[in-house]
Amino acid sequence: MVGPKIEKDVFGTLPDGRNVERIVLCGEGGFEARVIAHGAVLQALIAPDANGGHDDVVLGHDAFAGYLAERKFLGATVGRYANRIAKGQFSLDGETVQLAVNNGPNALHGGLEGFDRKLWDIAAIDDGARPAVTLTYTSPHGEENYPGRLDIRLTYRITGPTELSLSMEARTDRPTIVNLTNHSFFNLEGAASGVPILDHKLTVAAEHFLAIDPTAIPLPEPPLSVAGTPFDFRSARPVGERIRESDQQLQNGRGYDHTYCLGRDGKLALAARLEAPRSGRTMELFTDQPGLQVYSGNYLDGTISGKGGKLIRQSDAMCLEPHIWPDAPNRPDFPSPRLEPGEVYRHHTVYRFGVRTP
């Protein structure tokens, strides 16, 4: 007997009494994606390993209180502008827009109360052969000082036996900027395994990356070649193999916290691959976005506990965040984040899981 493809429950309650619902998308053989409406968060992702077992492979919390207590972006949908904008400032049609500065001297991940802190509406549930949940959020003109109303529609869908697809669209009523991403922290040995990701083998399909200053803003120079640097993941190698080398860029990021330049031109293509040595799990990430932020969990400092009550420490997980390049509103030489009325912003990312073959 085939079980239900969709499960739904109440994951928690906001201080104002609103319920936060959780939708569970059930794939084949125990593959599951669990999504909560607060922050459109990917709360859990259950994937098989090479030994016939299953584990949750994304960091997060077992209870909703953990998401409210600390803003760590675990599994969250990030916007209106993912990553950083220098000095929280940009110009749009001759007008200067000043955003909240919430990351050193810069604006980060949408401001003080970004999309990760909003309760999204569950607009549709598809319990067919490819189960899906669609969430929506309307960001009013002036929210976090961003111009224009932004209507966002996001769909998580199981598109294969062990494949999760994320599609996002946004529309505006006046010129604005938009750059959305999912901020999941992956550990393919298991979210509560306690095993660092430094032994994970990483491949990134990019020949260039953006060098950054000590505040993580891209330098004025063009993208740098990865050749001959610790940032060369064109062939698979462990994340930690060169992470402690004396390199100015590794110093500036405290490890890897850099955007790789993909040059997608709006077409879905392979951007990265992860492989865990113990579990044998693999994950391929496909995206149509022009950049991929590779973040080795450098600022995870043991100040919060995650699933299973375990403290989350440096390099316990890593992020692979597809998006437009950071500080692009101030860089006409970068892919543009501008969105006009009548246009549609689109973002499509696919996470495809497998197991290592002998």
Side-chain angles (χ1 to χ4, degrees), residues 250-262:
L250 290 175
Q251 274 189 298
N252 288 354
R254 298 191 184 182
Y256 297 107
D257 193 6
H258 295 74
T259 298
Y260 282 76
C261 307
L262 301 176

Side-chain angles (χ1 to χ4, degrees), residues 294-355:
V294 174
Y295 172 53
S296 51
N298 317 319
Y299 294 91
L300 302 175
D301 57 5
T303 56
I304 64 167
S305 59
K307 294 167 181 174
K310 293 192 175 183
L311 293 180
I312 298 175
R313 297 192 178 276
Q314 188 180 59
S315 299
D316 273 354
M318 72 180 306
C319 298
L320 298 171
E321 307 160 59
H323 54 48
I324 296 169
W325 301 359
D327 202 33
N330 294 311
R331 296 289 299 269
D333 54 326
F334 283 8
S336 175
R338 185 182 177 109
L339 183 67
E340 299 279 357
E343 296 178 345
V344 182
Y345 163 90
R346 289 186 171 88
H347 174 135
H348 186 196
T349 293
V350 173
Y351 308 94
R352 182 180 297 164
F353 291 86
V355 294

Side-chain angles (χ1 to χ4, degrees), residues 106-342:
N106 306 315
L108 175 70
H109 291 338
L112 301 175
E113 293 288 327
F115 296 170
D116 59 296
R117 304 296 284 177
K118 306 300 183 181
L119 184 63
W120 293 55
D121 292 322
I122 297 176
I125 292 175
D126 182 350
D127 61 356
R130 304 199 312 166
V133 58
T134 297
L135 302 103
T136 58
Y137 177 69
T138 295
S139 175
H141 169 66
E143 183 174 72
E144 290 291 333
N145 220 28
Y146 284 95
R149 189 188 73 203
L150 195 71
D151 296 304
I152 312 120
R153 188 174 183 87
L154 176 158
T155 299
Y156 288 99
R157 183 181 298 275
I158 291 182
T159 47
T162 52
E163 181 179 285
L164 178 67
S165 173
L166 172 59
S167 299
M168 294 183 272
E169 293 185 349
R171 294 170 172 82
T172 186
D173 64 348
R174 69 185 74 187
T176 190
I177 61 169
V178 59
N179 182 28
L180 309 177
T181 196
N182 177 269
H183 204 293
S184 286
F185 287 77
F186 293 97
N187 186 324
L188 300 190
E189 303 291 8
S193 67
V195 177
I197 51 82
L198 297 178
D199 288 338
H200 280 47
K201 288 185 177 180
L202 173 65
T203 309
V204 180
E207 297 187 357
H208 295 85
F209 75 102
L210 297 181
I212 57 173
D213 69 17
T215 74
I217 292 296
L219 296 176
E221 61 198 66
L224 298 183
S225 171
V226 300
T229 77
F231 294 84
D232 191 350
F233 287 98
R234 290 175 294 178
S235 297
R237 60 181 179 81
V239 173
E241 184 176 270
R242 302 183 66 180
I243 199 171
R244 303 198 190 283
E245 289 190 8
S246 181
D247 177 273
Q248 186 61 53
Q249 281 303 303
L250 290 175
Q251 274 189 298
N252 288 354
R254 298 191 184 182
Y256 297 107
D257 193 6
H258 295 74
T259 298
Y260 282 76
C261 307
L262 301 176
R264 284 288 161 262
D265 295 327
K267 296 179 181 178
L268 191 72
L270 180 68
R273 185 181 188 272
L274 267 184
E275 179 184 315
R278 294 169 178 81
S279 68
R281 283 190 189 89
T282 63
M283 182 183 80
E284 293 177 321
L285 186 152
F286 299 79
T287 189
D288 59 1
Q289 296 300 289
L292 181 73
Q293 189 79 6
V294 174
Y295 172 53
S296 51
N298 317 319
Y299 294 91
L300 302 175
D301 57 5
T303 56
I304 64 167
S305 59
K307 294 167 181 174
K310 293 192 175 183
L311 293 180
I312 298 175
R313 297 192 178 276
Q314 188 180 59
S315 299
D316 273 354
M318 72 180 306
C319 298
L320 298 171
E321 307 160 59
H323 54 48
I324 296 169
W325 301 359
D327 202 33
N330 294 311
R331 296 289 299 269
D333 54 326
F334 283 8
S336 175
R338 185 182 177 109
L339 183 67
E340 299 279 357

